[in-house]
Amino acid sequence: MGTKNGMKRRTRITLALAALTTAAFGAAFGLVAQQGVPGQTTTTAAATQTAGQSSSAPAQSSGSSVAPSNGSSSSQRAAAPRVVHARTRAT
Amino acid sequence: MPQRQLAAMGTDCLLILHGPEDDPAAEEALERAAQQVREYEERFSRFRPESELSRLNESPQDQVQVGAELGALLARSLEYARITGGLFDPVVLDDLLVLGYDRTFEDVRDRPHDGAVGETPRLRWRDVLVDAAHQVVARPSGARVDLGGIAKGAAADAAIAELSSYSGALVDLGGDIRVQGRPTDSDFWIIEVEDGQRPDGAVDYIRLRNGAVATSSLRKRRWLHNGDIVHHIIDPRNGQPARAGVLQCSVIADTTEHAEVAAKVGFIRGPGFLHERSELGKALGVRGIAWLTLDGTYRRTSGWRKHELDC
């Protein structure tokens, strides 16, 4: 009997630890997922950072002279933002 | 936001202030900034026969007295020529003239140029000396100077200085853009980058607070010369229109003048030559560079990507 009760206690402890781990992982994953939503980080970064210091900038290996283009054509880029103040262009 | 539009330097110009509407002081500041732009055009345009630059170019003398501002602008141009190894050269005007760009661009575009190329004089920046202290320019008669892009950049920088007491201002001289502070409707000035393949479209959007951006492109100033399509950005190494496979090069820098110089160098040499971390990039206050190449590929440096807007 004593052994049976000990096993039940260990099982309950194990289940409780598993539940806690799952909850903690879920919370952490949810936080990361939320930070990855476009717009939320942009707004925060824009409000607190100076130009050229965006936290949302893609990581870039040091020393490379040109960012990988990934073969992106111009037609694949640039969704229009809400506000545009000026346009740099051919003159 | 109070703003002013004007036609100057052969293009459309826009000045914006962060401030209340109908503020007389803001209107006066905008007028002072606009006047700076007009004065730069009057004094430094090669298309105005009465301009100070035209008088220098047409003078038969080997040594010419010039005004303090033209002397300083020329001295800076020669320094840019030196640090770029001659890739930026304000003395390539004769190469442009030989190709037919001897009138305003509207005339050049509408009337194809057919004529013998002949031997170009090949005078370069090393043939010009500027004694800024005594405001004297010494050069062989016939060494003509074109300050086109750099004068526009300098005008944008001079105009923004007139607006420096405001918490936000933008000066846009036909795509040469200088900003300070922030606008009223956003945390950053949002700048659209023209897509040279689709002039009504955008290839990118960047955000700026204090700084400048300029674009060198062959999209607009192209014309027919002896049946060939040529453009206005001359590679000083051979006196011919640059052919590095670039459609446009945009540069973010600390000043518009620097952005102009760097964009021209980036256009002439193509992707990979110039970087914000290189010696030259640092000397020109470069923060980021983007190229759109003739095959439609869009490349940009890590510094440029830091300024890109997350849409």
Side-chain angles (χ1 to χ4, degrees):
Chain A
M1 284 297 281
T3 308
K4 208 177 223 180
N5 284 339
M7 282 181 66
K8 279 184 180 174
R9 193 179 300 117
R10 277 199 297 276
T11 303
R12 279 199 295 271
I13 291 170
T14 303
L15 286 172
L17 281 172
L20 276 172
T21 305
T22 304
F25 177 77
F29 181 79
L31 186 62
V32 170
Q34 189 180 24
Q35 286 180 339
V37 175
Q40 291 182 337
T41 49
T42 302
T43 305
T44 306
T48 56
Q49 295 179 347
T50 57
Q53 294 178 318
S54 163
S55 65
S56 55
Q60 182 68 24
S61 60
S62 63
S64 80
S65 59
V66 179
S69 68
N70 299 323
S72 63
S73 70
S74 60
S75 60
Q76 292 173 313
R77 292 191 45 80
R82 186 176 53 85
V83 177
V84 173
H85 297 105
R87 187 172 211 240
T88 184
R89 61 194 186 275
T91 54
Chain B
M1 288 183 283
Q3 52 183 275
R4 177 73 54 94
Q5 289 180 301
L6 66 150
M9 309 193 99
T11 189
D12 300 322
C13 305
L14 173 66
L15 315 174
I16 306 177
L17 266 186
H18 180 164
E21 298 283 352
D22 302 323
D23 175 10
E27 292 299 325
E28 287 172 16
L30 285 171
E31 178 51 32
R32 286 197 304 274
Q35 188 57 28
Q36 282 282 2
V37 177
R38 293 188 202 102
E39 286 181 12
Y40 267 76
E41 179 180 25
E42 288 168 10
R43 297 171 66 182
F44 305 133
S45 169
R46 72 174 169 99
F47 298 112
R48 288 176 171 252
E50 73 282 8
S51 76
E52 196 177 348
L53 180 64
S54 292
R55 290 202 300 273
L56 168 66
N57 282 341
E58 297 309 315
S59 172
Q61 308 297 322
D62 288 341
Q63 295 193 15
V64 181
Q65 192 84 33
V66 297
E69 277 193 72
L70 178 54
L73 194 51
L74 275 170
R76 294 203 302 277
S77 297
L78 297 181
E79 176 61 10
Y80 298 139
R82 187 187 69 77
I83 65 174
T84 63
L87 290 171
F88 173 86
D89 191 331
V91 197
V92 293
L93 178 54
D94 281 315
D95 297 276
L96 265 181
L97 299 179
V98 164
L99 290 170
Y101 196 178
D102 52 0
R103 298 149 277 164
T104 59
F105 180 69
E106 287 70 25
D107 288 339
V108 173
R109 180 192 56 202
D110 296 340
R111 285 187 292 155
H113 182 263
D114 295 306
V117 172
E119 280 297 311
T120 55
R122 290 287 188 271
L123 292 169
R124 288 293 182 261
W125 66 277
R126 291 183 188 279
D127 298 306
V128 179
L129 293 172
V130 177
D131 181 347
H134 298 93
Q135 299 170 25
V136 172
V137 177
R139 84 279 182 268
S141 177
R144 287 179 284 192
V145 174
D146 182 9
L147 295 173
I150 190 175
K152 195 160 58 166
D157 295 333
I160 204 83
E162 295 289 348
L163 309 174
S164 60
S165 61
Y166 288 83
S167 57
L170 177 147
V171 173
D172 173 5
L173 306 187
D176 280 15
I177 299 164
R178 176 79 187 265
V179 303
Q180 69 167 31
R182 50 163 291 187
T184 53
D185 55 356
S186 177
D187 292 319
F188 292 85
W189 296 99
I190 307 299
I191 312 296
E192 181 177 289
V193 183
E194 178 185 73
D195 182 345
Q197 292 185 315
R198 301 173 299 136
D200 292 335
V203 72
D204 210 347
Y205 295 91
I206 57 169
R207 52 188 182 185
L208 286 178
R209 276 232 177 111
N210 296 296
V213 61
T215 296
S216 280
S217 170
L218 61 77
R219 181 182 71 75
K220 200 167 177 183
R221 294 180 195 266
R222 288 181 291 182
W223 65 96
L224 279 174
H225 171 72
N226 289 343
D228 294 327
I229 297 175
V230 294
H231 63 81
H232 72 297
I233 303 174
I234 297 294
D235 184 339
R237 295 172 297 178
N238 58 18
Q240 294 297 307
R243 290 190 174 90
V246 177
L247 175 56
Q248 67 187 46
C249 176
S250 299
V251 171
I252 302 168
D254 56 349
T255 69
T256 328
E257 186 175 303
H258 283 160
E260 259 285 344
V261 173
K264 188 161 284 185
V265 171
F267 184 97
I268 290 171
R269 288 301 304 265
F273 176 76
L274 186 60
H275 194 279
E276 56 268 13
R277 290 193 297 268
S278 67
E279 282 288 309
L280 180 57
K282 289 175 183 172
L284 290 174
V286 173
R287 298 175 187 169
I289 313 158
W291 291 266
L292 182 58
T293 51
L294 290 171
D295 65 3
T297 304
Y298 186 54
R299 299 167 183 267
R300 60 263 199 235
T301 64
S302 52
W304 179 278
R305 293 168 73 111
K306 289 177 182 173
H307 289 78
E308 284 183 327
L309 189 68
D310 301 316
C311 295

